[in-house]
Amino acid sequence: MLPGLATPSILPPLAAVQRTSVGVIGAGVVGLSSALWLQKAGHRVTLADPAPPVAGGSYEQASSFGNACTMAFGACIPVASPGILRALPRMLLDRHGPLSINWSDLTGLMPWLASFLRAASPVAVSRIAGVLGSLLRLAEAGQAPLFEDARATHLKRPTGCLYLYRSARSFARAQPEIALRRREGVRMRILEQDEVRAREPNLAPLYHKGLLFEDAYSIDNPLAYAQQLLRCFIDRGGEVVTARVRTIDRGTDGLTIRCEDRSIRSDHAVLAAGAWSGGIARSFGDHIRLSTERGYHVMFPGEGGLLSAPTCYPEHGFYMTPLGEGLRAAGTVELGGLDKPAREERTQVIERVTRELLPCIGKAGRTWLGFRPSMPDSLPVIGRSPSDARIIHAFGHGHIGLTLAGITGRLVADMIGGQPPLVDLTPLRADRF
Ligand SMILES: Cc1cc2nc3c(=O)[nH]c(=O)nc-3n(C[C@H](O)[C@H](O)[C@H](O)COP(=O)(O)OP(=O)(O)OC[C@H]3O[C@@H](n4cnc5c(N)ncnc54)[C@H](O)[C@@H]3O)c2cc1C
């Protein structure tokens, strides 16, 4: 029997290390969590981002702004799976499906897609689920101290999270994934129709069975969470540089992080610029198979009372998450790069399906496009740069970056402190493709 979620006390205390200077690139939730763990380990940290989460600033470029807010400790199943493989041709031709592609980008996407397809074999999926499982079991242990430090525990909504299957067929198809989750120690409970109805009376009865992830919780406002983390970082003496990083120059006596109009000198650098990390890595010689899975959200202001917990129909590919601000329907995948504008038809589909599932929902409000930083095998990159061991890569968390941010930060701090890693980092190497 595998252990369930690890509590903070299971992590060995941070070892006393030689104090160094570290430049963290990117103030998404992964960069912020890394910066805080590095401070906890005693390092001097500078954080660079063109649009950090300061009050009054815009943070909408960050995936950490608009996600589905769910700490998804059971999410050990990679996006590429045998089921996806079967459905892929139909999905890619359907511009309204949960997975779509900008066909004009196909040539550029080919290497990524080829690796994605290779990662979808049953053997690969089982291996990847094992790696994700080992990270996810430590996720709360990495996250909880940051919630405490940043005085953000009031943002936690400990409601669990519900998956719903529309038909006996879709539930039967999910069985291999459910078995893998069970193997990884994920706590789940199957709910019958009447149990789902009792929990979520506002949902149309379009479900055959439910799967309740009891340990999951949501963060009521991911922007406020990022702001609290940043405030804590500054209160502890951290420096914020509001600038876009171009590259890192590697000298024998240290690193120079080059921004548009200034430079930051440091002993180490952490590259945590989400989907933009690939371009920065390329500038100093690391070619990483990072792309973006674009995702959208539609807000329904004032409708947060309609559901008691984040609710997801895997076949529609998005969550409906109740928040203080309203109900946020967030998800779907669109392959197609960082430069193309949002496609309205994608948010129209999310809105239409949400209305089908929650017939009494009111008017839709803000829509948002975000860029998940995604590797083809759904595993993040956490480890030293192949070009220079002083640079640590921490990006590529795809669909579960909010969930894995805390433990990623702890792994980064251990690496810079020369401590043995808490998990085997070999499968997370930047040059694994
Ligand atoms: C629709 C949707 C729903 C999601 N739902 C969930 C969920 O429920 N649970 C979950 O765990 N995850 C979820 N995710 C995934 C999660 O949001 C991401 O994995 C996570 O936010 C990635 O964090 P990050 O810090 O790596 O990147 P980001 O949050 O994208 O931050 C990157 C930062 O880098 C900065 N940057 C960019 N270029 C530069 C540069 N040149 N120099 C310096 N800084 C730069 C940007 O300004 C930005 O602030 C979802 C994502 C989407 C899109």
Side-chain angles (χ1 to χ4, degrees):
M1 178 70 184
L2 284 161
L5 282 183
T7 51
S9 57
I10 193 177
L11 296 185
L14 279 164
V17 292
Q18 197 191 344
R19 184 178 153 92
T20 63
S21 57
V22 187
V24 176
I25 301 167
V29 72
V30 174
L32 289 164
S33 304
S34 302
L36 280 175
W37 271 110
L38 285 161
Q39 279 184 326
K40 283 162 87 68
H43 301 291
R44 196 154 34 82
V45 187
T46 305
L47 186 59
D49 192 302
V54 289
S58 170
Y59 191 51
E60 294 201 8
Q61 82 294 346
S63 192
S64 305
F65 167 84
N67 52 52
C69 316
T70 307
M71 298 298 285
F73 302 117
C76 60
I77 308 300
V79 179
S81 68
I84 283 276
L85 214 52
R86 269 195 308 276
L88 198 64
R90 186 178 43 79
M91 280 175 145
L92 292 180
L93 287 172
D94 177 5
R95 284 167 73 80
H96 299 148
L99 175 63
S100 81
I101 190 167
N102 278 329
W103 286 101
S104 56
D105 292 320
L106 187 62
T107 316
L109 277 169
M110 279 314 248
W112 192 94
L113 272 176
S115 301
F116 178 82
L117 295 179
R118 265 197 297 279
S121 75
V123 173
V125 169
S126 170
R127 180 188 69 80
I128 293 165
V131 179
L132 287 175
S134 69
L135 288 169
L136 286 162
R137 283 192 292 280
L138 292 178
E140 180 59 2
Q143 197 86 24
L146 304 186
F147 269 103
E148 293 289 336
D149 291 357
R151 299 206 179 91
T153 46
H154 63 285
L155 295 173
K156 285 187 178 185
R157 295 173 70 124
T159 55
C161 156
L162 184 62
Y163 270 27
L164 291 173
Y165 299 90
R166 287 185 78 136
S167 63
R169 194 154 168 239
S170 60
F171 186 62
R173 281 208 174 134
Q175 292 311 306
E177 296 180 1
I178 293 174
L180 274 180
R181 292 185 213 270
R182 209 161 263 138
R183 187 193 77 185
E184 295 307 316
V186 176
R187 284 209 311 142
M188 293 166 294
R189 197 153 57 84
I190 292 171
L191 301 187
E192 301 301 328
Q193 281 174 347
D194 53 344
E195 292 174 285
V196 175
R197 195 171 307 121
R199 281 182 62 95
E200 303 296 357
N202 293 311
L203 277 175
L206 299 169
Y207 40 78
H208 167 70
K209 278 197 201 297
L211 192 60
L212 180 65
F213 296 89
E214 291 166 297
D215 294 322
Y217 62 87
S218 54
I219 297 182
D220 191 54
N221 182 336
L223 170 62
Y225 179 57
Q227 288 173 339
Q228 301 263 119
L229 292 177
L230 185 70
R231 195 165 307 131
C232 176
F233 170 74
I234 294 168
D235 288 349
R236 292 183 171 183
E239 190 191 345
V240 180
V241 171
T242 303
R244 188 176 301 283
V245 171
R246 296 279 183 223
T247 190
I248 306 173
D249 289 343
R250 297 176 279 128
T252 46
D253 58 343
L255 301 171
T256 307
I257 298 172
R258 299 251 179 243
C259 308
E260 288 150 324
D261 56 352
R262 72 195 96 166
S263 298
I264 303 162
R265 297 274 299 161
S266 64
D267 301 315
H268 291 91
V270 178
L271 179 52
W276 296 268
S277 303
I280 301 173
R282 209 172 311 120
S283 75
F284 57 81
D286 284 356
H287 295 270
I288 295 164
R289 198 149 292 176
L290 179 74
S291 187
T292 179
E293 289 173 82
R294 296 151 55 106
Y296 291 85
H297 86 212
V298 179
M299 278 304 304
F300 294 88
E303 300 285 23
L306 289 182
L307 291 173
S308 71
T311 301
C312 171
Y313 284 77
E315 58 208 279
H316 294 305
F318 67 88
Y319 278 77
M320 297 174 289
T321 305
L323 305 173
E325 186 193 354
L327 188 107
R328 181 180 289 189
T332 70
V333 170
E334 182 185 36
L335 301 175
L338 290 165
D339 304 321
K340 299 255 168 23
R343 282 204 293 138
E344 210 179 319
E345 59 191 332
R346 300 293 298 166
T347 47
Q348 283 168 348
V349 173
I350 295 178
E351 182 181 345
R352 179 174 53 70
V353 177
T354 305
R355 287 194 189 289
E356 186 190 342
L357 303 172
L358 275 173
C360 59
I361 200 156
K363 269 171 78 97
R366 181 186 69 221
T367 61
W368 172 83
L369 161 66
F371 303 97
R372 296 183 191 89
S374 294
M375 298 296 287
D377 57 2
S378 299
L379 292 174
V381 175
I382 306 174
R384 296 186 190 278
S385 151
S387 303
D388 194 313
R390 295 169 296 179
I391 302 173
I392 308 296
H393 290 318
F395 52 78
H397 294 73
H399 292 238
I400 51 173
L402 184 65
T403 311
L404 291 181
I407 190 59
T408 300
R410 172 61 197 251
L411 290 166
V412 165
D414 283 347
M415 225 179 300
I416 288 180
Q419 300 305 306
L422 295 164
V423 295
D424 178 15
L425 296 178
T426 320
L428 311 180
R429 288 169 58 107
D431 55 1
R432 61 184 184 264
F433 291 101

